[in-house]
Amino acid sequence: MPRTSDQTSFLCAGDSIQIGVETASVVTSTVDITSPLPEYDVIVLGAGFAGLVAARDLSCAGVKVLLLEARDRIGGRTYTSRLHGQNVEMGGTWIHWSQPHVFHEIHRYGLQDQLKRSVGTLSPFHGGPEFVYSFSGGQLRKLTNEDYEVRMKTMMEAFFNVDGALGRSILEWPHNPSFDSVDAKKLQSLSAKDRFEQICEQFSAQDQDLLSAMLAAIGTTSLDKIALYDLFKWWALSGYTVEDFFAATASFKLSCGTTELARCILADFKGDMLFNSPVAGIEQGSKVVVTLKTGQKIRSARVVCTVPLNVLHNITFTPPLSPKKLSASKEGHVTKGLKVHMYTKQPLQTVFTSSAPPQPLTFGFTESHLPSDGGTFSVFFFQNDSIDLTSPESIARDFTLQIMSGTVIPDAVAPDAILCHDWTSDEFARGAWCTFRPGFGEEYFLEVRRREGRVWFASADWAEGWRGFIDGAIEQGTHAAREILEEMREASGKVRSVL
Ligand SMILES: Cc1cc2nc3c(=O)[nH]c(=O)nc-3n(C[C@H](O)[C@H](O)[C@H](O)COP(=O)(O)OP(=O)(O)OC[C@H]3O[C@@H](n4cnc5c(N)ncnc54)[C@H](O)[C@@H]3O)c2cc1C
């Protein structure tokens, strides 16, 4: 299997660290930038899920498209690696049938039989972890799965029940922010901490830690930095119940890997592809001129820019991006935590574990047990700034210390392998999934989404529905392609639609 040249992904096994991980997401360019390229109808910038879908939909409708990507691979913040015969998701992972755009794509490519559950996720009525651990009051507390679920149900319902209807009346239309009520808009400026403080006194200190760990996991940061609106959005989109919240956000994944879904979309794309080509500038006149970091220029009539919020400001736009869009990108979203996969030859208990800020771990769980040699895969998410991101060595060292400290899982076991992509140090992401700080949505949401001239902006980071999810990326790519096709049809009436 090929290995990505992404410099912030690595496999650490024993004393050896290999930069770049094995993945089937590495793809070869179909055009060579050293020879002159034609002028395109549309350049789609970024081959994550937003870009892949936009490029496929446009090209299938007869539009001449170039898919242009900084990395050597597709999938962006979502791609699959492999270790010991197992698929390992380096970024985006869990999907659910309540996520309409991604599930539509899963069905389109016949992958609906490929769903599987991560074994240690919280799954009321379906097994789940043997035990739940929580570091609280200076010790690792052990609960049964049932006990944990009862406590979380009580606390989460108290948290979201601001309207006597478990949030149903305050955020009635979670896929359509333009329908937000006055009360829903108020959630934008409040923080998760504001609401937590209103309800926390009814619960013991240890249970408060359980709840704040769960809420902090949504942004891998402290509750004061997470918009209350974002929490309500996840809750409402999931179906306003604790059971559906766990199921929709972190339970089911594709056994074939997310890269298989990305490859299916790419297989239907009918245009040109250019990888390893970071864009430095986008200049608009009667055409758009896209300048690569190498200085080469490519022309098109329109651009779909799917570059993530946290790095959009690194591209020089002429005329400049609107001042508000630029400020939004410079500030960025807040999720800058770390996801780390651990493989141990020693079989471990099936567990879920969590801890509240300022503990480094936010949450983690058993992913799978290997039937062949009895080893265990586990995944852990750490708070922003809690692990030293200076180098793969520092990440592996800090991670191992955490695992062996007795604050994360009961077994003080040393990892036999660590797989990680440090998205915060990644120059083409500078963060993981999108979570807004209080007030950010009110200030910037409409502006970051707004088309500027011949450039459309499409990213999971400003999706209307599942913002910050694979589903949101597909929503955005679909919309951008549709709008461009409509505009082109109006202009010429010549574009063939097969959508
Ligand atoms: C650790 C982690 C865990 C996650 N967990 C989940 C989950 O369980 N479920 C879920 O649904 N979502 C999850 N997400 C979120 C999900 O992965 C993202 O929301 C989604 O993949 C974003 O897709 P996108 O196409 O909008 O952006 P991206 O995937 O970021 O794609 C943008 C593309 O633009 C490229 N690019 C950037 N700058 C340039 C440039 N200058 N020139 C050329 N190209 C450029 C990038 O290389 C990238 O390929 C997770 C994300 C992370 C990182």
Side-chain angles (χ1 to χ4, degrees):
M1 188 172 294
R3 182 173 287 279
T4 175
S5 59
D6 272 357
Q7 292 298 298
T8 57
S9 66
F10 67 91
L11 167 65
C12 170
D15 289 339
S16 94
I17 292 194
Q18 278 183 314
I19 306 294
V21 297
E22 283 188 8
T23 173
S25 61
V26 175
V27 174
T28 312
S29 300
T30 57
V31 290
D32 179 357
I33 189 65
T34 55
S35 12
L37 291 184
E39 184 174 308
Y40 291 92
D41 293 328
V42 181
I43 294 176
V44 174
L45 182 46
F49 274 91
L52 286 171
V53 165
R56 178 201 61 194
D57 288 359
L58 287 163
S59 71
C60 286
V63 175
K64 192 173 169 60
V65 179
L66 174 69
L67 180 60
L68 182 54
E69 168 58 51
R71 307 176 196 270
D72 60 358
R73 60 169 184 83
I74 54 171
R77 280 172 280 173
T78 301
Y79 74 104
T80 315
S81 182
R82 271 186 88 74
L83 185 65
H84 295 302
Q86 295 294 298
N87 284 330
V88 182
E89 297 294 350
M90 306 304 291
T93 307
W94 295 285
I95 40 93
H96 192 260
W97 43 94
S98 63
Q99 297 170 344
H101 303 282
V102 69
F103 222 69
H104 167 77
E105 295 294 340
I106 286 169
H107 263 274
R108 176 176 177 146
Y109 295 109
L111 302 178
Q112 66 274 18
D113 299 336
Q114 296 280 332
L115 292 193
K116 78 172 197 188
R117 198 185 273 282
S118 296
V119 295
T121 51
L122 299 159
S123 49
F125 320 119
H126 291 102
E130 283 170 59
F131 291 107
V132 174
Y133 291 91
S134 154
F135 189 77
S136 180
Q139 58 181 354
L140 199 62
R141 180 184 178 203
K142 179 178 175 181
L143 295 93
T144 62
N145 188 11
E146 293 72 26
D147 188 11
Y148 178 84
E149 280 169 10
V150 169
R151 285 164 197 266
M152 283 309 291
K153 187 171 170 63
T154 310
M155 289 190 288
M156 284 179 74
E157 288 182 353
F159 185 89
F160 288 109
N161 198 14
V162 290
D163 53 1
L166 289 170
R168 283 183 175 84
S169 72
I170 199 164
L171 199 57
E172 195 183 355
W173 308 100
H175 270 279
N176 192 342
S178 65
F179 282 13
D180 279 353
S181 63
V182 174
D183 286 340
K185 288 197 172 92
K186 282 186 196 154
L187 300 173
Q188 298 259 22
S189 56
L190 297 171
S191 72
K193 186 174 178 219
D194 292 330
R195 177 65 186 153
F196 181 79
E197 285 176 348
Q198 287 174 353
I199 59 141
C200 67
E201 276 179 9
Q202 24 178 332
F203 306 112
S204 70
Q206 288 181 330
D207 282 357
Q208 287 181 29
D209 279 352
L210 282 183
L211 178 62
S212 69
M214 175 54 72
L215 301 173
I218 287 172
T220 66
T221 188
S222 52
L223 300 190
D224 58 316
K225 300 204 174 66
I226 300 174
L228 185 57
Y229 183 88
D230 282 39
L231 268 57
F232 268 82
K233 186 114 170 141
W234 285 38
W235 174 256
L237 286 163
S238 306
Y240 309 93
T241 73
V242 178
E243 293 82 357
D244 291 329
F245 179 85
F246 290 148
T249 57
S251 288
F252 301 97
K253 57 184 194 172
L254 285 170
S255 55
C256 58
T258 54
T259 289
E260 182 56 25
L261 178 61
R263 286 177 67 89
C264 287
I265 300 170
L266 188 72
D268 277 351
F269 171 57
K270 301 179 197 313
D272 292 342
M273 302 188 280
L274 186 59
F275 290 89
N276 292 307
S277 302
V279 166
I282 297 179
E283 188 178 347
Q284 300 195 53
S286 59
K287 297 281 173 188
V288 190
V289 180
V290 172
T291 306
L292 303 184
K293 270 202 177 147
T294 51
Q296 281 130 326
K297 295 185 188 300
I298 316 171
R299 280 164 219 283
S300 65
R302 294 171 179 81
V303 163
V304 178
C305 178
T306 73
V307 166
L309 176 67
N310 288 10
V311 292
L312 184 61
H313 63 95
N314 292 336
I315 296 180
T316 306
F317 284 79
T318 314
L321 280 181
S322 77
K324 252 184 141 177
K325 215 179 240 136
L326 199 57
S327 308
S329 173
K330 284 187 174 162
E331 179 183 340
H333 67 75
V334 300
T335 320
K336 295 186 175 166
L338 191 73
K339 177 184 187 182
V340 187
H341 292 277
M342 172 175 87
Y343 168 72
T344 54
K345 287 182 191 148
Q346 182 185 329
L348 303 181
Q349 274 183 336
T350 304
V351 299
F352 180 92
T353 179
S354 72
S355 55
Q359 277 298 312
L361 178 84
T362 165
F363 74 107
F365 48 80
T366 313
E367 269 278 35
S368 58
H369 299 288
L370 295 195
S372 52
D373 67 359
T376 301
F377 274 92
S378 312
V379 63
F380 300 93
F381 290 81
F382 289 87
Q383 304 280 354
N384 295 3
D385 304 321
S386 67
I387 297 269
D388 178 356
L389 302 180
T390 310
S391 64
E393 287 79 7
S394 68
I395 293 173
R397 183 200 59 226
D398 270 20
F399 172 74
T400 305
L401 285 174
Q402 283 300 320
I403 292 299
M404 300 195 69
S405 67
T407 63
V408 171
I409 51 172
D411 312 270
V413 59
D416 290 298
I418 296 167
L419 260 179
C420 177
H421 188 123
D422 168 10
W423 295 101
T424 301
S425 305
D426 181 330
E427 63 173 315
F428 302 119
R430 296 283 182 223
W433 63 90
C434 174
T435 316
F436 289 164
R437 57 114 172 121
F440 191 94
E442 266 173 311
E443 214 172 331
Y444 296 124
F445 179 70
L446 291 176
E447 182 55 27
V448 288
R449 298 161 49 81
R450 195 177 58 79
R451 165 186 174 183
E452 295 196 22
R454 293 171 173 276
V455 183
W456 276 254
F457 295 89
S459 166
D461 299 354
W462 46 84
E464 285 194 290
W466 285 94
R467 171 157 53 76
F469 285 76
I470 301 165
D471 189 79
I474 296 172
E475 172 211 294
Q476 286 285 294
T478 307
H479 278 290
R482 192 82 227 168
E483 278 183 31
I484 291 176
L485 286 175
E486 273 167 22
E487 191 173 276
M488 290 178 79
R489 268 185 210 120
E490 272 172 29
S492 73
K494 281 188 192 152
V495 175
R496 177 176 60 90
S497 176
V498 294
L499 297 181

